[in-house]
Amino acid sequence: MRAISGGTPATKSAPIPGPTAEHGIQGHLVGFVEALRRRGIPVGPSETVDAGQVLTVLDLMDREALREGLACALLRRTTQRATYDGMFDLWFPAALGERFGSDEVEIPRKPDGEVDIIQLRKMLAELLMQDPSGEQAQQLQALAAQMVEQMGQYQSAGGPSFSAYQTLKDLQPELLVSKILAGLAQGMDDAGFDNEVARRTARQRIKGFRGTVEAETRRRVAERIGRDRVATYGVARQAEDADFLRISQTELDELRRSSQRLARVLASRLAARRRRSRRGEIDLRKTMRKSMSTGGVPVNLVTRKPRPGRPDLVLLCDISGSVAGFSSFTMLLVNALREQFSRVRIFAFVDQTDEVTQLFDSATPLDQLTRRIFTESKVVGIEGHSDYGSALEGLAENFPDAVTSRTSLLILGDARTNYRDPALDTLRDLVDTAKHAYWLNPEAEKMWGTGDSAANRYADIIEMHECRNARQLTSVVARLLPV
């Protein structure tokens, strides 16, 4: 399938032919859907059929209309949009090869032929001062394309390639905030000029231009090495697929906002398991006694009446260093499931343990929970380094009523003890006392037992599961939580 264009400069054919699909546009759409699935966006057969219907009614030369139409058919949540846009730009590129057009913007150069960075900054600032739509948007796209072509090329091991960092490192568009602010102020009345709003607008426009350069870079690189390879590292992943140990603050914030939705999914799964568990097991003695009326043939099965009782749930969470994001999200998730259990108690630790259940209230914003734990509870001792042995002993000694025969114990952490005593006997006592006990570890299983990790030693005592991202965590918790 050739490039789809609309609202972008004209193009020159690439030296290498563009990507084609075996079964034409239908095959191209199926490939696009499969790529979305690989990036964590669930697209089913019905959504794919709807997308096919969209292609029959939209003008395929109007690229933005096509983008929005397919988004309406394929996406279920707004959080999937960033990933979708990145994949759309790769599968439906704005052009093939280097862009040329009537609205092309010439990059200013010095007499010796080098790019004049000062004049380029001035040109970019003037474009960003204006409303970034229509003709200005096309000029910004053209400028980004020329910058990538002329300033972003470098020689890689596999030949010439393109880099967004190489393109922008000398320009440094973030330095243009004050110039854009001055331009915005001239177009407003002094009485209606809000400096903070204007500053935010300036930063958003700079961020948008940076995104345009990055999208153009991905397009050019995809033509050289293939869009599938570029998609693996160049397209925003779903927050649910982000590795807890390498998660960004933006992805963590998105996960926190989605904790209620994931909790509803888990609650429905627990409710289904609870309904199935009410059927009870076959009571062999009563069944055989009842079969006397049918000559010893057990025609009617008698089941034992189950004694449903919602269990207690206790969380012990390491909130130090890189595992803090994993623990804070899991605490939010389980706290949202509070109604599914008779009681939920949450304990946090770095090198000493304290109960933080009372801090999970509706009045506290999600992004302030971790801060409240550190400031309003005693989870950090003198050294402030993870000490799982001290944490386990603190839970057993200071909160002896926390773990009982009705308790399901859930421990969260990477089990890295900083070479201190892991208190294996204390953990064994807690596991023997609890009704259920599980350990959720955000590290890859292949790393268990390396360096200061005591995960393999703990795994001999308690059932340990790898939970590296929110999708994996949700699946494990849904399977393990008692009903």
Side-chain angles (χ1 to χ4, degrees), residues 350-353 378-387 390 420:
V350 175
D351 55 359
Q352 60 184 30
T353 302
K378 299 178 180 179
V379 297
V380 182
I382 298 176
E383 297 186 8
H385 298 293
S386 294
D387 190 339
S390 175
R420 297 175 180 175

Side-chain angles (χ1 to χ4, degrees), residues 117-136:
I117 298 298
I118 302 299
Q119 291 300 318
L120 180 57
R121 285 178 183 166
K122 182 179 179 180
M123 174 189 296
L124 178 59
E126 290 175 353
L127 289 174
L128 294 177
M129 289 175 194
Q130 306 172 48
D131 183 17
S133 60
E135 183 179 350
Q136 282 71 32

Side-chain angles (χ1 to χ4, degrees), residues 22 47 61 81 85 88 92 103 172 206 267 275 290 311 315 334 364 390 450 456 459:
E22 182 179 355
E47 288 86 1
M61 299 304 294
R81 186 57 193 254
D85 283 336
F88 182 90
F92 299 88
D103 57 352
Q172 296 180 321
I206 291 173
R275 285 194 299 270
K290 196 168 186 177
L315 267 71
V334 173
T364 304
S390 175
T450 62
N456 55 346

Side-chain angles (χ1 to χ4, degrees), residues 11 42 79 95 124 208 308 312 369 375 422 441 450:
T11 66
T79 56
L124 178 59
D312 297 341
L369 281 173
T375 57
N441 194 327
T450 62

Side-chain angles (χ1 to χ4, degrees), residues 303-353:
T303 59
R304 296 188 182 95
K305 291 184 178 180
R307 294 183 173 85
R310 294 185 177 183
D312 297 341
L313 185 62
V314 170
L315 267 71
L316 179 61
C317 311
D318 180 4
I319 60 170
S320 65
S322 59
V323 299
F326 163 65
S327 294
S328 64
F329 171 70
T330 309
M331 286 189 289
L332 286 171
L333 185 63
V334 173
N335 182 70
L337 292 170
R338 189 183 290 270
E339 294 181 356
Q340 302 295 321
F341 303 92
S342 61
R343 182 172 61 169
V344 175
R345 297 183 69 180
I346 302 175
F347 298 87
F349 72 90
V350 175
D351 55 359
Q352 60 184 30
T353 302

Side-chain angles (χ1 to χ4, degrees), residues 77 150 156 160 210 233 243 391 441 461 482:
R77 301 196 301 270
Q150 300 178 32
S156 66
R210 180 177 285 275
Y233 67 84
D243 193 318
N441 194 327
I461 302 172

